[in-house]
Amino acid sequence: AQYEHYGRVGDIKEDFDIISYEDSKGELYSSFKHASHAMLFARNDTVLWDLYKSRAAIMMQMRFDGLLGFPGGLVDPGENPLDGVNRELEEEIGLDLCKHKLQNSDQVVSFVNKSKNLVLHFYGKEVTVNDFSEIEMKTLSAPDYGNETLGMIRPPLYTMGDGYRGLPAFLSNSYAGNSRQELLIGLQHFKILEQDEIEKTRR
Ligand code: GTP
Ligand code: MN
Ligand code: MN
Ligand code: MN
Ligand code: MN
Ligand code: MN
């Protein structure tokens, strides 16, 4: 519930409600489509141009449809949401599952969109700066690179002097599902930004 307001862009509430992971497994949602996406990130203390705290490298992507989002995708028949996110990360970013497989404890938040019959699960996992770079390099040879996935990007997490460039400008892009909300939740959940820094980015 504390995250609910991140779904608001201007005064328009996006059509996603937060549900517990336990509830999402219930009978009511068994006929819904489920999808799982993940935020891989590495904390990074460097200061850019003696001015802006870098804070973290976060992996997002430009998708085939021109929208930004996290790597991940639809949970296939016979899979649970965790199996689904691990398979999709292998397909979309070439993640080495021997080293970086996500666990159930990496689940951060889940959402339901009742009008779209859709349940969305969001995972997050911290890796080292070196592992992040290695993972990022490998994305260029991932099976789905060049068709589903058009490039990994790191969101800027600082706000520049004009109050717009940086994270606020990044947040003004178009996003798949509620990945914009997920980014803000991830920043809060993993304490990558302070609460007041996140609030300031609200339009
Ligand atoms: P195919 O393999 O081509 O079927 O695609 P996919 O399985 O990778 O599915 P996709 O990643 O497009 O995600 C499926 C659903 O989740 C769609 O309804 C998207 O709008 C939504 N979606 C896509 N990216 C994200 C994201 O980062 N977060 C959330 N919450 N939803 C997303
Ligand atoms: Mn330059
Ligand atoms: Mn996919
Ligand atoms: Mn996908
Ligand atoms: Mn898929
Ligand atoms: Mn696919």
Side-chain angles (χ1 to χ4, degrees), residues 60 67-69 169-180 183:
M60 292 193 77
L67 304 177
L68 298 178
F170 184 81
L171 292 171
S172 75
N173 283 296
S174 298
Y175 290 83
N178 62 332
S179 53
R180 182 184 187 279
L183 172 59

Side-chain angles (χ1 to χ4, degrees), residues 1 6 13 19 31 34 36-38 43 49-50 52 76 83 86 90 107-108 129-130 139 146 148 151 165 174 180 185:
Y6 292 148
K13 187 179 185 302
I19 51 165
S31 65
H34 288 244
S36 306
H37 294 84
R43 290 180 209 277
W49 314 294
D50 292 330
Y52 304 117
D76 286 344
D83 298 334
N86 280 312
E90 198 171 27
Q107 187 265 0
V108 172
V129 168
N130 283 345
T139 64
E148 257 188 59
R165 288 182 304 149
S174 298
R180 182 184 187 279
I185 289 172

